[in-house]
Amino acid sequence: MTTTTKGSAVLTLPTDTEILVTREFNAPREQVWRVLTEPKLIRRWWAGQRGTVTEATVDLRVGGAWRYVMTANDGFEVAFHGEYREIAAPERMTHTEVFEGMPDGDSEPSLNHYTLTEHDGRTTLTVRTVVSSKDVRDMIIATGMEGGMQEGYDLVEELAVELAAA
C-alpha cells in the first residue's frame, strides 16, 4: 500500500451551480473516512502546503457543527464552518460550508455531498458541491481552490496509507 496517486483529483463543472471532484486513494475507505473526519488528522492535511491549521472542530452528528481555521503562509487567517446534514459512516456525509470571509456568508452556504466507495482496498472519493449561482461557483474556482485541494488530498492519502499500515 505504498503507491500513492499524487495530484490525481479530477475537478469538473457538471452544471452552473456544481463543482464535482473525484479522487482515488490507495487506502481503505475506513482510513480515508477517519482522515476526513477526525480533528487531529484534519489538522495534518486541511491546509495542504499553504499554511498551518490552528483549529479543527468536529461534532460529527446530524445537526452538529464543524469549523476549520488556518493561518496561511502569508500570515492571514482563513476559516470555514458548517453543519452536518447527513452522516452514514464510512460511506457518505453531507454538510453545509461557509467561508467566513464572505459578507452574509451564512445566508447561502454551499452544500457538500461526500461519497466514499471502496474496491480492492482502494477508495474513490466523490465530492459534489452545490452553490447558489454560477457566479459563486466561478468565484470558488478563481480562488485557486483546485491547487490547495490537490495538496490536501495528497496528504489525506499519505495519512490514510499510514493508518492502514499501523
Side-chain angles (χ1 to χ4, degrees), residues 87-124:
I87 297 171
E91 59 199 47
R92 69 182 180 278
M93 71 176 153
T94 300
H95 65 71
T96 61
E97 181 174 2
V98 175
F99 171 53
E100 293 181 10
M102 291 296 293
D104 300 323
D106 282 329
S107 62
E108 295 189 37
S110 66
L111 193 58
N112 300 328
H113 304 270
Y114 290 72
T115 305
L116 291 87
T117 55
E118 183 177 340
H119 183 71
D120 292 333
R122 296 176 71 86
T123 301
T124 300

Side-chain angles (χ1 to χ4, degrees), residues 46 52-56 67-71 77-80 100:
W46 185 71
T52 303
V53 177
T54 58
E55 180 184 338
R67 184 170 190 256
Y68 306 158
V69 181
M70 70 176 257
T71 300
E77 188 174 88
V78 177
F80 289 82
E100 293 181 10

Side-chain angles (χ1 to χ4, degrees), residues 2 4-5 17 20 27 41 46 56 60 67 80 93-94 98 103 117 119 127 132 139 144 149-150 153 158 165:
T2 57
T4 61
T5 55
T17 58
L20 183 65
L41 297 169
W46 185 71
L60 192 61
R67 184 170 190 256
F80 289 82
M93 71 176 153
T94 300
V98 175
T117 55
H119 183 71
V127 182
S132 60
M139 183 174 47
M149 173 200 64
Q150 294 286 5
Y153 284 166
E158 288 177 22

